[in-house]
Amino acid sequence: LGGSPSVPSSIYKWNLESRAPAKILACSSSLSFSEDLISVPKQIEFPTTLGTAFGYYYAPKNGGYTCTTDKAPPLLVKAHGGPTACTGTSFN
């Protein structure tokens, strides 16, 4: 089972002898998007009053749009109480 920021969670089959690329056996979604629209997350950490907090930063990405300081895209924040393993970077 695996996924990535640009590929939905899928069931894969690997051939360990041939080391050929994995084959997708089943996928959780048939949706697909152009790579110039998918923001790849960067892991970040920052200090808080309770210690270090961790998160993922998804920079705005859209190949058809150029940002200016006058019309910057909004910042969306999705917070959860943890633990860190309760979130991931797979396409969803």
Side-chain angles (χ1 to χ4, degrees):
L1 185 62
S4 75
S6 60
V7 178
S9 296
S10 301
I11 297 173
Y12 291 85
K13 178 181 179 180
W14 282 271
N15 184 324
L16 299 178
E17 291 179 11
S18 70
R19 297 190 179 264
K23 293 182 182 179
I24 295 178
L25 301 178
C27 186
S28 63
S29 175
S30 61
L31 292 175
S32 65
F33 295 93
S34 172
E35 289 288 326
D36 70 341
L37 295 174
I38 302 292
S39 180
V40 177
K42 175 184 173 186
Q43 189 171 9
I44 61 170
E45 57 183 73
F46 49 93
T48 72
T49 56
L50 299 175
T52 302
F54 301 91
Y56 294 108
Y57 171 67
Y58 292 81
K61 186 171 182 183
N62 183 333
Y65 178 79
T66 301
C67 181
T68 67
T69 55
D70 296 334
K71 290 190 173 194
L75 174 65
L76 302 176
V77 177
K78 178 182 171 186
H80 70 89
T84 303
C86 286
T87 190
T89 60
S90 291
F91 178 90
N92 64 28

